[in-house]
Amino acid sequence: PFFRFHFLNFRNEVNPDLKNEVIYAGEIGYGFKSRKFNLNFNGYYTVWDQISQLAGFRTEAGQFVNAFISELQAVHMGIELDFQWTITRWVNVGGLASFGSWEYANDPTADLYDDQTLEYLGTGTLFLDGLKVPDQPQTQFGYNVEFVAAKRLTFALQHLFYDNLYA
Protein backbone atom coordinates (compact mmCIF):
# COMPACT_ATOMS: atom_id res chain seq x y z
CA PRO A 1 0.00 0.00 0.00
CA PHE A 2 1.01 3.61 -0.46
CA PHE A 3 2.49 5.39 2.54
CA ARG A 4 -0.37 7.92 2.69
CA PHE A 5 -2.73 5.11 3.73
CA HIS A 6 -0.77 4.39 6.93
CA PHE A 7 -2.13 7.46 8.77
CA LEU A 8 -5.80 8.31 8.29
CA ASN A 9 -6.45 11.12 10.73
CA PHE A 10 -3.37 13.39 10.91
CA ARG A 11 -2.69 12.30 14.51
CA ASN A 12 0.12 9.79 13.88
CA GLU A 13 -2.21 6.91 14.70
CA VAL A 14 -1.28 4.01 12.46
CA ASN A 15 -4.07 2.50 10.40
CA PRO A 16 -4.61 -0.98 11.93
CA ASP A 17 -6.64 -2.28 8.97
CA LEU A 18 -4.00 -1.70 6.30
CA LYS A 19 -3.00 -4.84 4.37
CA ASN A 20 -0.49 -5.47 1.62
CA GLU A 21 -1.95 -5.56 -1.85
CA VAL A 22 -1.83 -8.93 -3.58
CA ILE A 23 -1.40 -9.21 -7.35
CA TYR A 24 -1.96 -12.36 -9.40
CA ALA A 25 -0.97 -12.06 -13.04
CA GLY A 26 -0.65 -14.18 -16.13
CA GLU A 27 0.55 -13.14 -19.56
CA ILE A 28 1.21 -15.02 -22.76
CA GLY A 29 2.59 -13.59 -25.96
CA TYR A 30 4.44 -14.02 -29.18
CA GLY A 31 7.24 -11.95 -30.63
CA PHE A 32 8.63 -11.96 -34.16
CA LYS A 33 11.91 -10.23 -35.00
CA SER A 34 13.66 -9.82 -38.31
CA ARG A 35 16.16 -7.35 -39.68
CA LYS A 36 13.46 -4.91 -40.84
CA PHE A 37 10.30 -5.90 -38.98
CA ASN A 38 9.40 -6.57 -35.32
CA LEU A 39 5.99 -7.67 -34.07
CA ASN A 40 4.75 -8.38 -30.52
CA PHE A 41 1.37 -9.77 -29.53
CA ASN A 42 0.27 -10.67 -26.01
CA GLY A 43 -2.72 -11.27 -23.79
CA TYR A 44 -2.89 -10.68 -20.05
CA TYR A 45 -5.10 -11.39 -17.05
CA THR A 46 -4.37 -9.70 -13.72
CA VAL A 47 -6.23 -9.74 -10.41
CA TRP A 48 -5.46 -6.89 -7.99
CA ASP A 49 -6.61 -7.89 -4.52
CA GLN A 50 -6.81 -6.02 -1.20
CA ILE A 51 -6.37 -2.61 -2.83
CA SER A 52 -6.47 0.37 -0.44
CA GLN A 53 -7.77 3.77 -1.54
CA LEU A 54 -8.61 7.10 0.04
CA ALA A 55 -11.54 9.07 -1.30
CA GLY A 56 -13.61 12.02 -0.18
CA PHE A 57 -17.13 13.21 -0.75
CA ARG A 58 -19.58 15.83 0.45
CA THR A 59 -22.81 14.70 2.10
CA GLU A 60 -26.21 16.19 1.34
CA ALA A 61 -25.84 18.21 4.56
CA GLY A 62 -22.59 19.73 3.26
CA GLN A 63 -20.24 17.76 5.52
CA PHE A 64 -17.03 16.59 3.86
CA VAL A 65 -16.25 12.94 4.61
CA ASN A 66 -13.03 10.99 4.03
CA ALA A 67 -13.41 7.32 3.18
CA PHE A 68 -10.68 4.72 3.64
CA ILE A 69 -11.53 1.91 1.24
CA SER A 70 -9.97 -1.47 1.94
CA GLU A 71 -10.02 -4.88 0.33
CA LEU A 72 -11.02 -3.54 -3.08
CA GLN A 73 -10.51 -6.02 -5.92
CA ALA A 74 -10.06 -5.35 -9.65
CA VAL A 75 -9.61 -7.60 -12.67
CA HIS A 76 -7.63 -6.37 -15.69
CA MET A 77 -7.57 -8.40 -18.90
CA GLY A 78 -6.83 -7.62 -22.49
CA ILE A 79 -4.71 -8.03 -25.60
CA GLU A 80 -1.91 -5.85 -26.99
CA LEU A 81 -0.18 -5.62 -30.35
CA ASP A 82 2.76 -3.51 -31.45
CA PHE A 83 5.07 -3.45 -34.46
CA GLN A 84 8.06 -1.57 -35.83
CA TRP A 85 9.01 -1.63 -39.52
CA THR A 86 12.23 -0.21 -40.98
CA ILE A 87 11.18 0.74 -44.50
CA THR A 88 14.55 2.24 -45.44
CA ARG A 89 17.52 3.26 -43.35
CA TRP A 90 15.95 6.75 -43.25
CA VAL A 91 12.31 5.85 -42.52
CA ASN A 92 10.80 3.76 -39.71
CA VAL A 93 7.10 3.31 -38.96
CA GLY A 94 5.37 1.62 -36.06
CA GLY A 95 2.03 1.10 -34.47
CA LEU A 96 0.20 -0.25 -31.47
CA ALA A 97 -3.24 -1.41 -30.46
CA SER A 98 -4.52 -2.39 -27.04
CA PHE A 99 -7.96 -3.64 -26.04
CA GLY A 100 -8.70 -4.14 -22.37
CA SER A 101 -11.45 -4.71 -19.89
CA TRP A 102 -10.60 -3.40 -16.42
CA GLU A 103 -13.39 -3.78 -13.88
CA TYR A 104 -13.88 -3.81 -10.14
CA ALA A 105 -14.74 -7.29 -8.91
CA ASN A 106 -16.34 -6.72 -5.50
CA ASP A 107 -18.30 -4.34 -3.29
CA PRO A 108 -15.76 -3.23 -0.65
CA THR A 109 -16.44 -1.44 2.61
CA ALA A 110 -15.07 1.94 3.63
CA ASP A 111 -14.38 3.47 7.02
CA LEU A 112 -15.80 6.99 7.08
CA TYR A 113 -14.24 9.95 8.94
CA ASP A 114 -15.36 13.55 9.33
CA ASP A 115 -12.82 15.73 7.50
CA GLN A 116 -12.91 18.53 10.08
CA THR A 117 -13.09 16.69 13.41
CA LEU A 118 -11.48 13.42 12.25
CA GLU A 119 -14.25 11.61 14.12
CA TYR A 120 -15.03 8.05 13.01
CA LEU A 121 -18.53 8.09 11.48
CA GLY A 122 -19.05 4.43 10.65
CA THR A 123 -18.73 2.03 7.76
CA GLY A 124 -20.27 2.17 4.31
CA THR A 125 -20.48 -0.26 1.41
CA LEU A 126 -19.35 0.86 -2.04
CA PHE A 127 -21.29 -0.85 -4.82
CA LEU A 128 -18.47 -1.08 -7.37
CA ASP A 129 -18.74 -4.67 -8.66
CA GLY A 130 -18.76 -4.56 -12.46
CA LEU A 131 -17.86 -0.87 -12.76
CA LYS A 132 -14.91 0.11 -14.96
CA VAL A 133 -11.59 1.09 -13.33
CA PRO A 134 -11.15 4.86 -13.88
CA ASP A 135 -8.29 7.00 -15.17
CA GLN A 136 -6.86 4.47 -17.65
CA PRO A 137 -7.82 4.12 -21.32
CA GLN A 138 -9.11 0.61 -21.94
CA THR A 139 -8.67 0.94 -25.70
CA GLN A 140 -5.61 2.49 -27.34
CA PHE A 141 -4.37 2.92 -30.90
CA GLY A 142 -1.22 4.63 -32.03
CA TYR A 143 1.33 5.06 -34.75
CA ASN A 144 4.73 6.63 -35.14
CA VAL A 145 6.84 7.69 -38.11
CA GLU A 146 10.52 8.46 -37.80
CA PHE A 147 12.68 10.22 -40.44
CA VAL A 148 16.45 10.06 -40.07
CA ALA A 149 17.75 13.24 -41.72
CA ALA A 150 21.39 12.85 -40.67
CA LYS A 151 23.48 10.73 -38.34
CA ARG A 152 22.41 12.71 -35.25
CA LEU A 153 19.24 14.39 -36.54
CA THR A 154 15.89 12.60 -36.46
CA PHE A 155 12.36 13.92 -36.94
CA ALA A 156 9.49 11.91 -35.47
CA LEU A 157 5.72 12.03 -35.47
CA GLN A 158 3.59 10.11 -33.00
CA HIS A 159 -0.17 9.96 -32.53
CA LEU A 160 -2.06 8.14 -29.76
CA PHE A 161 -5.82 7.64 -29.53
CA TYR A 162 -7.45 6.70 -26.21
CA ASP A 163 -10.99 5.39 -25.86
CA ASN A 164 -13.12 3.89 -23.10
CA LEU A 165 -11.58 6.21 -20.54
CA TYR A 166 -13.76 6.36 -17.43
CA ALA A 167 -13.79 8.95 -14.63
Coordinates of all heavy atoms in Angstrom, one line a residue, residues 90-138:
W90 N 16.3 5.4 -43.6 CA 15.9 6.8 -43.2 C 14.5 6.8 -42.7 O 14.1 7.8 -42.1 CB 16.1 7.7 -44.4 CG 17.4 7.8 -45.0 CD1 18.5 8.4 -44.5 CD2 17.9 7.2 -46.2 NE1 19.6 8.2 -45.2 CE2 19.2 7.4 -46.4 CE3 17.2 6.4 -47.2 CZ2 20.0 7.0 -47.4 CZ3 18.0 6.0 -48.3 CH2 19.4 6.3 -48.4
V91 N 13.7 5.8 -42.9 CA 12.3 5.9 -42.5 C 11.9 4.6 -41.7 O 12.1 3.5 -42.2 CB 11.4 6.0 -43.8 CG1 9.9 6.0 -43.3 CG2 11.8 7.2 -44.6
N92 N 11.4 4.8 -40.5 CA 10.8 3.8 -39.7 C 9.3 4.1 -39.4 O 9.0 5.3 -39.1 CB 11.5 3.7 -38.4 CG 13.0 3.3 -38.6 OD1 13.3 2.4 -39.3 ND2 13.9 4.1 -37.9
V93 N 8.5 3.1 -39.4 CA 7.1 3.3 -39.0 C 6.7 2.2 -37.9 O 7.3 1.2 -37.9 CB 6.1 3.3 -40.1 CG1 6.4 4.4 -41.1 CG2 6.1 1.9 -40.8
G94 N 5.8 2.6 -37.1 CA 5.4 1.6 -36.1 C 3.9 1.9 -35.7 O 3.3 2.9 -36.0
G95 N 3.4 0.9 -34.9 CA 2.0 1.1 -34.5 C 1.7 0.2 -33.3 O 2.5 -0.6 -32.9
L96 N 0.6 0.5 -32.6 CA 0.2 -0.3 -31.5 C -1.3 -0.3 -31.4 O -2.0 0.6 -31.9 CB 0.8 0.3 -30.2 CG 0.3 1.7 -29.7 CD1 -0.9 1.6 -28.8 CD2 1.5 2.4 -29.1
A97 N -1.8 -1.3 -30.8 CA -3.2 -1.4 -30.5 C -3.4 -2.2 -29.2 O -2.6 -3.1 -28.9 CB -4.0 -2.1 -31.6
S98 N -4.3 -1.7 -28.3 CA -4.5 -2.4 -27.0 C -6.0 -2.4 -26.7 O -6.7 -1.3 -26.8 CB -3.7 -1.6 -25.9 OG -4.0 -2.2 -24.7
F99 N -6.5 -3.5 -26.4 CA -8.0 -3.6 -26.0 C -8.0 -4.3 -24.7 O -7.6 -5.4 -24.5 CB -8.7 -4.5 -27.1 CG -8.6 -4.0 -28.5 CD1 -7.6 -4.5 -29.3 CD2 -9.4 -3.0 -29.0 CE1 -7.4 -4.1 -30.6 CE2 -9.3 -2.6 -30.3 CZ -8.2 -3.1 -31.1
G100 N -8.6 -3.6 -23.7 CA -8.7 -4.1 -22.4 C -10.1 -4.0 -21.8 O -11.0 -3.3 -22.3
S101 N -10.3 -4.8 -20.7 CA -11.5 -4.7 -19.9 C -11.0 -4.7 -18.4 O -10.5 -5.7 -17.9 CB -12.4 -5.9 -20.2 OG -13.5 -5.8 -19.3
W102 N -11.0 -3.6 -17.8 CA -10.6 -3.4 -16.4 C -11.8 -3.1 -15.6 O -12.4 -2.0 -15.7 CB -9.6 -2.3 -16.3 CG -8.3 -2.5 -17.1 CD1 -8.0 -3.5 -18.0 CD2 -7.1 -1.7 -17.0 NE1 -6.8 -3.4 -18.5 CE2 -6.2 -2.3 -17.9 CE3 -6.8 -0.6 -16.3 CZ2 -4.9 -1.8 -18.1 CZ3 -5.5 -0.1 -16.5 CH2 -4.6 -0.7 -17.4
E103 N -12.2 -4.0 -14.7 CA -13.4 -3.8 -13.9 C -13.1 -4.1 -12.4 O -12.3 -5.0 -12.1 CB -14.5 -4.7 -14.4 CG -15.0 -4.4 -15.8 CD -16.1 -5.2 -16.2 OE1 -16.5 -6.2 -15.5 OE2 -16.7 -5.0 -17.3
Y104 N -13.9 -3.4 -11.5 CA -13.9 -3.8 -10.1 C -14.6 -5.1 -10.0 O -15.6 -5.4 -10.7 CB -14.5 -2.7 -9.3 CG -13.7 -1.5 -9.2 CD1 -14.1 -0.2 -9.7 CD2 -12.4 -1.5 -8.7 CE1 -13.4 0.9 -9.6 CE2 -11.6 -0.4 -8.6 CZ -12.1 0.8 -9.1 OH -11.3 1.9 -9.0
A105 N -14.2 -5.9 -9.0 CA -14.7 -7.3 -8.9 C -15.4 -7.5 -7.6 O -15.7 -8.7 -7.3 CB -13.6 -8.3 -9.1
N106 N -15.6 -6.5 -6.8 CA -16.3 -6.7 -5.5 C -17.0 -5.4 -5.0 O -16.8 -4.4 -5.7 CB -15.4 -7.3 -4.4 CG -14.3 -6.4 -4.0 OD1 -14.0 -5.4 -4.7 ND2 -13.7 -6.6 -2.9
D107 N -17.7 -5.5 -3.9 CA -18.3 -4.3 -3.3 C -17.6 -4.2 -1.9 O -18.0 -4.7 -0.9 CB -19.8 -4.6 -3.1 CG -20.6 -4.7 -4.4 OD1 -20.2 -4.0 -5.3 OD2 -21.5 -5.4 -4.4
P108 N -16.5 -3.4 -1.9 CA -15.8 -3.2 -0.6 C -16.5 -2.3 0.4 O -17.4 -1.6 0.0 CB -14.5 -2.6 -1.1 CG -14.9 -1.8 -2.3 CD -15.9 -2.6 -3.0
T109 N -16.0 -2.3 1.6 CA -16.4 -1.4 2.6 C -15.4 -0.3 2.8 O -14.3 -0.4 2.4 CB -16.6 -2.2 4.0 OG1 -15.4 -2.7 4.4 CG2 -17.7 -3.3 3.9
A110 N -15.9 0.8 3.4 CA -15.1 1.9 3.6 C -15.3 2.4 5.0 O -16.5 2.5 5.5 CB -15.4 3.0 2.6
D111 N -14.3 2.8 5.7 CA -14.4 3.5 7.0 C -14.5 5.0 6.8 O -13.7 5.5 6.0 CB -13.1 3.2 7.9 CG -13.1 1.7 8.4 OD1 -14.2 1.1 8.5 OD2 -12.0 1.2 8.5
L112 N -15.5 5.6 7.4 CA -15.8 7.0 7.1 C -15.4 7.9 8.3 O -15.7 7.5 9.4 CB -17.3 7.1 6.8 CG -17.9 6.2 5.7 CD1 -19.4 6.4 5.7 CD2 -17.2 6.5 4.4
Y113 N -14.7 9.0 7.9 CA -14.2 10.0 8.9 C -14.7 11.4 8.6 O -14.6 11.7 7.4 CB -12.7 9.9 9.0 CG -12.2 8.6 9.5 CD1 -11.9 7.6 8.5 CD2 -11.9 8.3 10.8 CE1 -11.4 6.4 9.0 CE2 -11.4 7.1 11.2 CZ -11.1 6.1 10.3 OH -10.6 4.9 10.7
D114 N -15.1 12.1 9.6 CA -15.4 13.5 9.3 C -14.0 14.3 9.0 O -13.0 14.1 9.7 CB -16.0 14.2 10.6 CG -16.4 15.6 10.4 OD1 -15.5 16.5 10.4 OD2 -17.6 15.9 10.2
D115 N -14.0 15.1 7.9 CA -12.8 15.7 7.5 C -12.4 16.8 8.5 O -11.2 17.0 8.6 CB -13.0 16.3 6.1 CG -11.8 16.9 5.5 OD1 -10.8 16.2 5.4 OD2 -11.8 18.1 5.2
Q116 N -13.3 17.4 9.2 CA -12.9 18.5 10.1 C -12.5 18.0 11.5 O -11.5 18.4 12.0 CB -14.1 19.5 10.2 CG -14.4 20.2 8.9 CD -13.3 21.1 8.5 OE1 -12.7 21.9 9.2 NE2 -12.9 21.0 7.2
T117 N -13.3 17.1 12.0 CA -13.1 16.7 13.4 C -12.3 15.4 13.5 O -11.9 15.0 14.6 CB -14.4 16.5 14.1 OG1 -15.1 15.4 13.5 CG2 -15.3 17.7 14.1
L118 N -12.2 14.7 12.4 CA -11.5 13.4 12.2 C -12.2 12.3 13.0 O -11.6 11.3 13.3 CB -10.0 13.5 12.7 CG -9.2 14.7 12.1 CD1 -7.8 14.7 12.6 CD2 -9.2 14.5 10.6
E119 N -13.4 12.6 13.4 CA -14.3 11.6 14.1 C -14.7 10.5 13.2 O -15.0 10.7 12.1 CB -15.5 12.3 14.7 CG -16.5 11.4 15.3 CD -17.8 12.2 15.7 OE1 -17.8 13.4 15.6 OE2 -18.7 11.5 16.1
Y120 N -14.6 9.2 13.7 CA -15.0 8.0 13.0 C -16.6 8.1 12.9 O -17.2 8.2 13.9 CB -14.6 6.8 13.7 CG -15.0 5.5 13.1 CD1 -14.5 5.1 11.9 CD2 -16.0 4.7 13.7 CE1 -14.9 3.9 11.3 CE2 -16.5 3.6 13.1 CZ -15.9 3.2 11.9 OH -16.4 2.0 11.3
L121 N -17.1 8.0 11.7 CA -18.5 8.1 11.5 C -19.2 6.8 11.3 O -20.4 6.7 11.4 CB -18.8 9.0 10.3 CG -18.3 10.4 10.3 CD1 -18.5 11.1 9.0 CD2 -18.9 11.2 11.5
G122 N -18.5 5.7 10.9 CA -19.1 4.4 10.6 C -18.5 3.8 9.4 O -17.4 4.2 8.9
T123 N -19.2 2.8 8.9 CA -18.7 2.0 7.8 C -19.8 2.1 6.7 O -21.0 2.1 7.0 CB -18.5 0.6 8.2 OG1 -17.5 0.5 9.2 CG2 -18.0 -0.3 7.0
G124 N -19.4 2.2 5.4 CA -20.3 2.2 4.3 C -19.8 1.2 3.3 O -18.7 0.8 3.2
T125 N -20.8 0.7 2.5 CA -20.5 -0.3 1.4 C -20.5 0.5 0.1 O -21.4 1.3 -0.2 CB -21.5 -1.4 1.4 OG1 -21.5 -2.1 2.6 CG2 -21.2 -2.4 0.2
L126 N -19.5 0.3 -0.7 CA -19.4 0.9 -2.0 C -19.8 -0.2 -3.1 O -19.1 -1.2 -3.2 CB -17.9 1.3 -2.3 CG -17.4 2.3 -1.3 CD1 -15.9 2.6 -1.5 CD2 -18.2 3.6 -1.3
F127 N -20.8 0.1 -3.8 CA -21.3 -0.9 -4.8 C -20.5 -0.6 -6.1 O -21.0 0.1 -7.0 CB -22.8 -0.7 -5.0 CG -23.5 -0.9 -3.7 CD1 -24.0 0.1 -2.9 CD2 -23.7 -2.2 -3.2 CE1 -24.6 -0.1 -1.7 CE2 -24.3 -2.5 -2.0 CZ -24.8 -1.4 -1.2
L128 N -19.4 -1.3 -6.2 CA -18.5 -1.1 -7.4 C -18.4 -2.3 -8.3 O -17.9 -2.2 -9.4 CB -17.1 -0.8 -6.9 CG -16.9 0.5 -6.0 CD1 -15.5 0.6 -5.5 CD2 -17.3 1.7 -6.8
D129 N -18.9 -3.4 -7.9 CA -18.7 -4.7 -8.7 C -19.3 -4.5 -10.1 O -20.4 -4.1 -10.3 CB -19.5 -5.8 -8.0 CG -19.2 -7.2 -8.6 OD1 -18.2 -7.3 -9.3 OD2 -19.9 -8.1 -8.2
G130 N -18.4 -4.7 -11.1 CA -18.8 -4.6 -12.5 C -18.5 -3.2 -13.1 O -18.6 -3.0 -14.3
L131 N -18.2 -2.2 -12.2 CA -17.9 -0.9 -12.8 C -16.5 -0.8 -13.3 O -15.6 -1.5 -12.9 CB -18.0 0.2 -11.7 CG -19.4 0.4 -11.1 CD1 -19.4 1.5 -10.1 CD2 -20.4 0.8 -12.2
K132 N -16.2 0.0 -14.3 CA -14.9 0.1 -15.0 C -13.9 0.8 -14.0 O -14.3 1.8 -13.3 CB -15.0 0.9 -16.3 CG -15.9 0.2 -17.3 CD -15.2 -1.1 -17.8 CE -16.0 -1.7 -19.0 NZ -15.4 -2.9 -19.5
V133 N -12.7 0.4 -14.1 CA -11.6 1.1 -13.3 C -11.3 2.4 -14.0 O -11.1 2.5 -15.2 CB -10.3 0.2 -13.3 CG1 -9.2 1.0 -12.7 CG2 -10.6 -1.1 -12.6
P134 N -11.3 3.5 -13.3 CA -11.1 4.9 -13.9 C -9.7 5.2 -14.2 O -8.8 4.6 -13.7 CB -11.7 5.8 -12.8 CG -11.4 5.1 -11.5 CD -11.6 3.6 -11.8
D135 N -9.6 6.3 -14.9 CA -8.3 7.0 -15.2 C -7.3 6.2 -16.0 O -6.1 6.6 -16.1 CB -7.6 7.4 -13.9 CG -8.5 8.3 -13.0 OD1 -9.2 9.1 -13.6 OD2 -8.4 8.3 -11.8
Q136 N -7.7 5.2 -16.7 CA -6.9 4.5 -17.6 C -7.6 4.2 -18.9 O -8.8 3.6 -18.8 CB -6.4 3.2 -17.0 CG -5.6 3.3 -15.8 CD -4.3 4.0 -16.0 OE1 -3.6 3.9 -17.0 NE2 -3.9 4.9 -15.0
P137 N -7.1 4.5 -20.1 CA -7.8 4.1 -21.3 C -7.8 2.6 -21.5 O -6.8 1.9 -21.4 CB -7.0 4.8 -22.4 CG -5.6 4.9 -21.8 CD -5.8 5.1 -20.4
Q138 N -9.0 2.1 -21.8 CA -9.1 0.6 -21.9 C -9.0 0.2 -23.4 O -8.9 -1.0 -23.7 CB -10.4 0.1 -21.3 CG -10.3 0.4 -19.8 CD -11.4 -0.2 -19.0 OE1 -11.9 -1.3 -19.3 NE2 -11.7 0.3 -17.8

